[in-house]
Amino acid sequence: MLDTEPLKPEALPQAGFERPAAFGRLPAFADVRPASDQRASAQHLCGYGKVILLGEHAVVYGSHAIAAPIPLAMRATVQEIPGNPGVILDVDRRGVAQDRAQADPDRQDIPQRSVQLVLAHLGLAGRALRIRISSTVPAAMGLGSSAAFAVAVIRALDQHFGLALDDAQVNMLALRCEELAHGTPSGIDNTVATYGRPVLYQRGEETHRVSRIQPLTFARPLPLAIGLTGRSSSTVEAVAAVRRAWQRESTRYEAIFQRIDDIVLQGVQALHDQDLPRLGALMNACHGHLQALDVSTRELDELVDIACRNGALGAKLTGGGRGGSVVALCPENRDRVADAMCRAGYRALKMDLG
Ligand code: PMV
């Protein structure tokens, strides 16, 4: 296990980061047009989408994971309206329609239930509200859309009602929403959605739920291509399936979680050393372990294969899997990788991370 000391990580159990400078300092990306308000000032409140670079699924069982915000986000505004108590949710997904994603009718009320949970926690139950959401985060693509939604709503309510919540409170409340959406989340999505910066994350014990969040600084932005399968990734189902398998075969699964943990910590070192070939190799190895956890699919494997054959240093599925997206590390050949993904019938986003 490698030492993380060179990064000077601070243990920040639920501590507040400075609010990031939103999208002002993030580079442009090619294939998705940002919503116009996404280019606005740092004062705009949002919940960030994210990619997990290394460590998904194992992170639910106490392993480390590395995740970072992407230049896609959700924003919300709150309006008090006349009439009976209740919340009208207007969600505007400009430019992020998903061609092949299928809506799951059982889960369609999750956003509404999350909002009700937040209102109850904030002592605002029984209000008549219209909440408008604008999003550039593709839903159910493993890019943290449910956490971004929760954070956007909480921040908008905070601002509208002058509640002066701090980031730690926003994060904890977003975790409650993630529990509603995902059952047993690690808490990594809501953490990145709230703080908007790269982190090395390790969840707390079940009972305490105080996580170790270590901010990571990338010396240079990481050039990525994200390949979207267009198939919905149901994180709740993927996490539940891994849990059932872990209960059946705990020794084998825990060995895989341990190997993923080792990979993540080696990834921290590779990031510190700016050793992108090493980081790419670790991403490939991680994808192999995610295949062993049975959360990859033919399409995810195909996207990983396309990325590696066209010059990516490494690629892996990101997020819950069983659909969703892959992340490919492409300091060179990024256009070639993205074009090849598109030619094979997928969507590709190009973005720099960190
Ligand atoms: O699919 P997403 O973006 O919600 O990411 C899920 C990540 C998991 O590690 C699979 C679950 C978790 O809570 O960490």
Side-chain angles (χ1 to χ4, degrees):
M1 192 177 289
L2 289 171
D3 188 5
T4 59
E5 189 54 31
L7 289 168
K8 297 192 174 44
E10 309 149 44
L12 287 177
Q14 309 303 340
F17 294 111
E18 273 177 40
R19 187 158 292 160
F23 295 99
R25 65 184 168 76
L26 289 170
F29 48 96
D31 294 306
V32 172
R33 258 183 70 76
S36 55
D37 60 355
Q38 192 158 291
R39 292 190 293 270
S41 74
Q43 277 67 44
H44 264 123
L45 303 169
C46 69
Y48 295 85
K50 64 95 194 50
V51 287
I52 297 182
L53 265 188
L54 292 168
E56 51 273 273
H57 284 289
V59 69
V60 174
Y61 297 82
S63 299
H64 293 84
I66 299 170
I70 55 178
L72 302 172
M74 290 207 196
R75 297 172 201 283
T77 53
V78 173
Q79 187 189 0
E80 290 177 75
I81 53 176
N84 295 329
V87 176
I88 300 171
L89 268 181
D90 287 342
V91 182
D92 175 4
R93 294 186 176 279
R94 276 165 287 177
V96 292
Q98 286 142 218
D99 304 338
R100 287 185 285 161
Q102 285 130 28
D104 175 351
D106 292 345
R107 301 185 52 74
Q108 274 171 356
D109 67 337
I110 295 270
Q112 184 62 249
R113 284 169 53 206
S114 293
V115 171
Q116 295 304 332
L117 181 151
V118 169
L119 291 174
H121 270 272
L122 297 178
L124 298 169
R127 305 277 177 144
L129 303 174
R130 178 186 296 274
I131 301 181
R132 288 197 171 89
I133 313 280
S134 71
S135 173
T136 53
V137 188
M141 284 294 122
L143 300 176
S145 65
S146 65
F149 171 85
V151 169
V153 168
I154 296 162
R155 290 213 188 278
L157 289 165
D158 176 38
Q159 189 187 44
H160 184 87
F161 290 103
L163 304 173
L165 299 177
D166 63 23
D167 284 345
Q169 290 169 309
V170 172
N171 194 23
M172 284 309 292
L173 195 43
L175 174 62
R176 296 282 97 80
C177 297
E178 285 289 273
E179 285 166 351
L180 194 82
H182 291 170
T184 54
S186 64
I188 192 167
D189 284 16
N190 47 280
T191 298
V192 177
T194 301
Y195 294 111
R197 60 174 298 177
V199 293
L200 173 65
Y201 181 89
Q202 190 176 30
R203 76 175 282 179
E205 296 294 320
E206 296 277 348
T207 42
H208 298 109
R209 302 296 277 131
V210 176
S211 308
R212 284 176 61 79
I213 309 165
Q214 301 180 12
L216 295 179
T217 307
F218 300 161
R220 294 210 193 89
L222 288 182
L224 301 181
I226 308 283
L228 285 75
T229 62
R231 298 261 179 234
S232 291
S233 163
S234 168
T235 306
V236 68
E237 281 169 26
V239 169
V242 171
R243 184 169 293 277
R244 283 194 300 275
W246 166 68
Q247 282 161 346
R248 277 198 311 271
E249 292 183 77
S250 59
T251 309
R252 186 166 88 81
Y253 272 70
E254 274 162 27
I256 298 173
F257 300 149
Q258 182 59 56
R259 284 198 285 274
I260 293 177
D261 194 47
D262 290 345
I263 285 171
V264 174
L265 295 179
Q266 291 178 53
V268 173
Q269 189 68 42
L271 280 167
H272 173 257
D273 296 342
Q274 295 184 52
D275 186 347
L276 297 192
R278 175 87 187 122
L279 183 61
L282 292 166
M283 289 167 69
N284 289 336
C286 191
H287 186 71
H289 290 308
L290 292 163
Q291 287 174 318
L293 293 179
D294 200 22
V295 292
S296 194
T297 61
R298 185 190 61 73
E299 287 155 323
L300 291 166
D301 291 346
E302 184 180 18
L303 278 166
V304 166
D305 188 51
I306 290 170
C308 293
R309 276 193 289 109
N310 285 279
L313 292 180
K316 58 178 276 295
L317 73 86
T318 186
R322 296 193 155 200
S325 306
V326 305
V327 54
L329 181 62
C330 309
E332 289 161 20
N333 305 311
R334 183 163 65 179
D335 288 345
R336 209 172 104 198
V337 168
D339 289 349
M341 288 173 169
C342 293
R343 273 199 312 278
Y346 301 103
R347 282 186 69 207
L349 311 175
K350 293 177 267 187
M351 59 182 72
D352 292 342
L353 210 64

